[in-house]
Amino acid sequence: MIEAAEDAGACCGYLSGAGPTVMALTSGASGDIFTQREKERTDKAVAKAMMSTAKKFGIQGRIVVTQASHEGAR
């Protein structure tokens, strides 16, 4: 899944050590992913590639697209 994510345009991917999570980090041409134009975004292509790979191995999951918090823990 990580290789599929990177091949689809992710900056990197990793397996979480705290649970059954595989994550990929993406970036666009500018700023916040929710304000970018559709053609600047890679998150959907990366998510699709990861889910496709998981399904090949009989693994079900869900996609969550989010962004990093700039505030940190309180």
Side-chain angles (χ1 to χ4, degrees):
M1 289 177 64
I2 294 169
E3 183 177 346
E6 291 173 344
D7 289 348
C11 300
C12 65
Y14 59 93
L15 175 64
S16 172
T21 300
V22 180
M23 286 185 72
L25 301 178
T26 63
S27 65
S30 60
D32 186 322
I33 65 167
F34 297 108
T35 61
Q36 292 172 0
R37 286 178 266 156
E38 190 67 27
K39 67 181 181 178
E40 295 175 327
R41 296 177 61 175
T42 59
D43 55 314
K44 291 180 183 178
V46 169
K48 184 177 177 181
M50 292 176 75
M51 286 300 290
S52 176
T53 300
K55 286 180 182 179
K56 288 179 188 176
F57 291 93
I59 300 169
Q60 295 181 353
R62 65 185 175 109
I63 299 295
V64 177
V65 176
T66 187
Q67 64 183 12
S69 171
H70 297 286
E71 294 181 19
R74 292 181 185 219

